[in-house]
Amino acid sequence: MAVLPIRIVPDSVLKQKAKKVHAIDRSIKKLVRDMLETMHVEPGRVGLAAPQVGVPLRVIVIGIPEEEDIVLINPQIVRRRGERIIDEGCLSVPGYTGQIKRAEAVTVKGKDQNGKELRVKAEGLLAQALEHEIDHLNGTLYIDHPEARETLRKIQPEETGL
Ligand code: NI
């Protein structure tokens, strides 16, 4: 396993649309293990998308404290409910936070690293993390949302999570 460096803006890999994974082979399983290790290296990290470690593939990992890690390959949001304004930050945009409009709840489907179909119903931080990481797969950062850009402010360059 390996802790991978986090790509930060304006790295072009963050703006690419990530490619679908066609086979969950050894290289994908290694990528998942490395992403999990990279996410857990700092306690404040709760999610990571493959483009953030320089790999433009549709793979995300989520690690909400006190909950089991979630690995999703080719994740798709199949349902969104409600709307809320929340603070958000991104490991790839260190030292900033902004307010963003997110769903109150989402349902996401995808596969885990063993090829098992998963359907995740989420609200709260998990829903936010899923939307944020899936945005990364589409080359979208939270600062690309107009409301976040308008409310963007500097914070201590501590770890900001997603
Ligand atoms: Ni992020």
Side-chain angles (χ1 to χ4, degrees):
M1 298 218 286
V3 173
L4 305 170
I6 303 286
R7 303 298 183 93
I8 61 170
V9 285
D11 194 314
S12 63
V13 72
L14 297 169
K15 302 301 288 178
Q16 282 181 46
K17 187 171 162 70
K19 290 203 164 60
K20 203 171 167 189
V21 172
H22 290 292
I24 303 170
D25 57 13
R26 285 175 61 181
S27 71
I28 296 295
K29 291 183 186 202
K30 181 176 191 313
L31 171 66
V32 166
R33 287 196 303 272
D34 288 347
M35 286 174 65
L36 287 168
E37 188 174 359
T38 302
M39 178 174 68
H40 286 304
V41 82
E42 297 286 346
R45 295 183 179 179
V46 297
L48 197 62
Q52 291 184 280
V53 293
V55 179
L57 288 173
R58 303 188 82 79
V59 178
I60 65 171
V61 296
I62 309 273
I64 305 292
E66 317 284 314
E67 287 180 32
E68 228 174 290
D69 290 340
I70 296 172
V71 173
L72 282 166
I73 295 168
N74 302 332
Q76 275 182 288
I77 295 177
V78 293
R79 189 162 180 259
R80 274 194 177 86
R81 177 174 56 74
E83 205 175 86
R84 58 189 172 139
I85 303 283
I86 39 179
D87 287 331
E88 195 155 307
C90 177
L91 292 168
S92 297
V93 190
Y96 287 88
T97 186
Q99 292 198 313
I100 185 163
K101 204 184 291 172
R102 292 287 188 201
E104 276 175 2
V106 293
T107 302
V108 175
K109 67 172 190 178
K111 286 184 176 176
D112 72 7
Q113 68 273 45
N114 301 311
K116 187 182 159 210
E117 298 274 357
L118 293 183
R119 195 177 179 90
V120 181
K121 283 184 150 187
E123 45 188 38
L125 179 59
L126 179 56
Q128 180 182 12
L130 286 164
E131 280 198 297
H132 180 106
E133 304 310 340
I134 292 169
D135 266 2
H136 272 300
L137 303 183
N138 295 321
T140 301
L141 299 170
Y142 82 92
I143 52 172
D144 295 325
H145 291 261
E147 70 275 14
R149 193 173 285 273
E150 281 163 21
T151 55
L152 201 66
R153 61 186 164 86
K154 275 194 155 184
I155 53 169
Q156 291 297 319
E158 64 209 4
E159 295 281 333
T160 42
L162 297 164

